[in-house]
Amino acid sequence: MAREMSNFIAALPMYDWPECRADVDKQWANLRDRLRAAGVDAPDRLVRRNADMPCVPGGIRDPDGIVVAPDPATLPPDELDLHTLWRHPALLLSQTCWGPIELGLVSHVKVVGQHDYSGVEGGEGELYSSAIVVLRSTIDYIPAPLDGNSNLPLEHLRGKRFVYNSPDSMSGILGLERDLASLNKDLGLFSQRLESGGHRNSIMAVTEGKADVAAVDCLTWELAKRFESTACALTVAGWTARRTGLPFVASRHIPLQIVEVVALELKNSALR
């Protein structure tokens, strides 16, 4: 007998590169089966497109009835709008970033866990840092500081074109901005700031000469070294400070008892 469609959705979009999707699917299958064994009707597959999200006629609304995100059915079907995904009332689980959380997403989701960056240069348990990447020809490689403090090469940043993934990204711009502030500097250090739409796009922008420097989180940098051929032209010129990495979240519309099961099974699963 065919299984009925789940009322919930799940997504793991932050490190879901095409080259990694088989592994991401295996991680989800492991957690999905654990959740089902615990009585939670977890969905078969992950959301990767707007078309995968259930429609919400009239748009997604907050408790006051104000529309905070569009109906997914009105969005380009083959794209994925993270703003809408993270506010969808059926969201059982997703990764997000602390930037959006701090900028208002916390009103719509509950944090149920943290990504584990153990074994990744620049990471330690739930903490991550961003690699400051530039063309290899401009500076020698700088290893991640063992103490987790920032190591910013101001002389190699001043007057450069800085590219970042999105203005609410902790790893792409906000963390760097805070570390610069600790040195009594700010983003005005750069001659130009460009938004790329994604860490991988930022990496390619530097290799293609459209920008001079980017900040990408340490796990993304590991993926780039494995799967992005242009990354071989880059090196790491410095690091932001280690700070809390990506959280896993569930919609505040999900009943508390289900959220608690998700948090427990997430902690016990191989999904990190």
Side-chain angles (χ1 to χ4, degrees), residues 33-45:
D33 293 346
R34 296 182 68 96
L35 289 170
R36 288 178 177 176
V40 176
D41 186 23
D44 282 332
R45 297 177 180 84

Side-chain angles (χ1 to χ4, degrees), residues 98-165:
W98 281 105
I101 291 276
E102 292 182 5
L103 295 172
L105 181 60
V106 69
S107 299
H108 308 283
V109 298
K110 301 173 185 176
V111 175
V112 296
Q114 287 290 145
H115 200 97
D116 186 352
Y117 295 87
S118 299
V120 178
E121 185 182 14
E124 182 179 322
E126 297 179 353
L127 304 179
Y128 75 168
S129 59
S130 292
I132 309 300
V133 297
V134 300
L135 287 176
R136 183 178 294 276
S137 59
T138 61
I139 190 174
D140 291 334
Y141 172 82
I142 303 296
L146 296 178
D147 59 10
N149 291 326
S150 65
N151 181 7
L152 301 180
L154 297 181
E155 68 278 13
H156 291 279
L157 303 182
R158 188 173 290 107
K160 303 300 184 182
R161 297 166 299 165
F162 172 61
V163 61
Y164 59 94
N165 55 333

